[in-house]
């Protein structure tokens, strides 16, 4: 059975700290790994990673994938209260040509205190 | 630009009642469409996906069904709701290019009494 595990499940830090969120996976077929941010309703897309060792960056957020060790990390530097959210990791394990099957982890609830 | 709409935002239904949740996408044609459920303390679980009108595939056996009567419309239904159907239901769309991510609607929070 395909599985995605995120750690920690919950994290509370102070504004300005740097955080690292972890995601490990075991899937039959791997196409890509995605990170989403979920504040209240719709998860919003952050990164899609397909190749090992290539860091993707967007402002204070960055992510990298290790396909040999089957994990990814999401880093957030100089955290702000607006970074408070649930961060979801998902692996695309293909179903059929042209469709994605996203297997999600439980999410990491990040709380940034001022 | 593309947008995705889901309604209703919240719904409280008695056990045994029927269900119909609707999702529509604007600004794109022939999208892939997906229904997910997010149960408390658990990750999102894929329920159904569709790669075209009238084409529905189910990922898990359950009390729910899905239909796609129009290109950009995806409906989640049940004839008789169970307590275990409670949860947060999310609709998502993607293009057929697998290098592009799925985009989610705001979801429907369903409570069964």
């Amino acid at each position: 059975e395909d599985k995605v595990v995120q750690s920690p499940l919950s994290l509370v830090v102070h504004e300005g700290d740097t955080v690292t969120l972890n995601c490990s996976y075991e899937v039959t077929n791997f196409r890509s790994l995605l990170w989403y941010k979920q504040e209240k309703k719709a998860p919003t897309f952050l990164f899609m990673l397909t190749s090992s060792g290539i860091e993707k960056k967007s402002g204070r957020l960055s992510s990298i994938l290790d396909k040999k060790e089957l994990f990814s990390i999401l880093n957030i530097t100089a955290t702000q209260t607006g970074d408070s959210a649930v961060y979801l990791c998902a692996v695309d394990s293909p179903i059929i040509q042209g469709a994605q099957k996203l297997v999600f982890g439980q999410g990491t609830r990040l709380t940034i205190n001022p | 630009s593309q947008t995705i709409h889901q309604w209703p935002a919240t719904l409280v239904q008695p056990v045994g009642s029927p269900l119909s949740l609707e999702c529509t996408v604007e600004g794109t044609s022939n999208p892939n469409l997906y229904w997910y459920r997010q149960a408390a303390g658990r990750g999102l679980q894929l329920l159904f996906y569709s790669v075209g009108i009238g084409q529905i595939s189910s990922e898990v056996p359950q009390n729910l069904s899905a239909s796609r009567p129009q290109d950009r419309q995806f409906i989640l239904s049940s004839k008789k709701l169970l307590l275990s159907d409670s949860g947060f239901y999310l609709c998502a769309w993607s293009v057929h290019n697998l290098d592009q991510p799925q985009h989610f609607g705001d979801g429907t929070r369903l409570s069964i009494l």
Side-chain angles (χ1 to χ4, degrees):
Chain A
E1 182 183 343
D2 293 342
K3 188 167 61 173
V4 176
V5 177
Q6 292 185 245
S7 64
L9 294 181
S10 180
L11 185 59
V12 181
V13 300
H14 290 291
E15 202 168 19
D17 289 351
T18 293
V19 298
T20 298
L21 309 183
N22 304 294
C23 175
S24 63
Y25 61 90
E26 291 178 34
V27 296
T28 308
N29 298 303
F30 177 91
R31 184 155 52 202
S32 62
L33 184 144
L34 298 90
W35 285 96
Y36 286 85
K37 176 183 182 182
Q38 186 177 25
E39 293 182 75
K40 288 186 180 178
K41 297 180 178 178
T44 54
F45 170 72
L46 296 175
F47 299 111
M48 176 184 270
L49 304 155
T50 55
S51 302
S52 276
I54 298 176
E55 185 183 53
K56 293 218 171 179
K57 289 197 71 167
S58 176
R60 296 176 292 102
L61 279 67
S62 63
S63 184
I64 198 162
L65 172 68
D66 186 329
K67 289 168 73 173
K68 182 180 176 185
E69 299 298 328
L70 308 183
F71 79 90
S72 173
I73 60 172
L74 174 69
N75 280 322
I76 309 175
T77 60
T79 52
Q80 302 171 358
T81 54
D83 295 326
S84 294
V86 176
Y87 289 83
L88 301 172
C89 174
V91 171
D92 181 13
S93 184
I95 309 172
I96 59 173
Q97 191 172 3
Q100 297 169 333
K101 175 184 175 180
L102 295 187
V103 181
F104 280 85
Q106 320 95 297
T108 293
R109 182 173 297 278
L110 176 64
T111 303
I112 311 297
N113 288 327
Chain B
S1 65
Q2 301 89 358
T3 56
I4 178 169
H5 303 280
Q6 275 189 255
W7 65 92
T10 58
L11 189 60
V12 180
Q13 292 284 97
V15 169
S17 63
L19 173 74
S20 181
L21 303 181
E22 191 162 339
C23 170
T24 60
V25 180
E26 296 177 357
T28 188
S29 60
N30 194 30
N32 289 335
L33 295 171
Y34 308 83
W35 277 111
Y36 290 86
R37 176 168 57 206
Q38 189 173 33
R42 302 183 66 178
L44 274 73
Q45 182 183 36
L46 179 64
L47 302 176
F48 300 96
Y49 66 94
S50 171
V51 297
I53 296 175
Q55 296 179 290
I56 307 294
S57 296
S58 173
E59 276 297 291
V60 293
Q62 59 205 305
N63 184 43
L64 303 168
S65 61
S67 61
R68 185 171 177 173
Q70 299 180 43
D71 180 43
R72 291 168 291 171
Q73 184 185 31
F74 207 22
I75 296 172
L76 185 69
S77 304
S78 173
K79 292 182 180 177
K80 284 187 178 181
L81 286 167
L82 307 172
L83 281 174
S84 58
D85 292 323
S86 292
F88 190 48
Y89 288 84
L90 286 158
C91 180
W93 73 273
S94 71
V95 297
H96 288 267
N97 180 343
L98 300 173
D99 292 333
Q100 297 298 316
Q102 293 181 24
H103 300 278
F104 288 84
D106 280 342
T108 295
R109 190 160 302 282
L110 176 64
S111 299
I112 310 299
L113 302 179

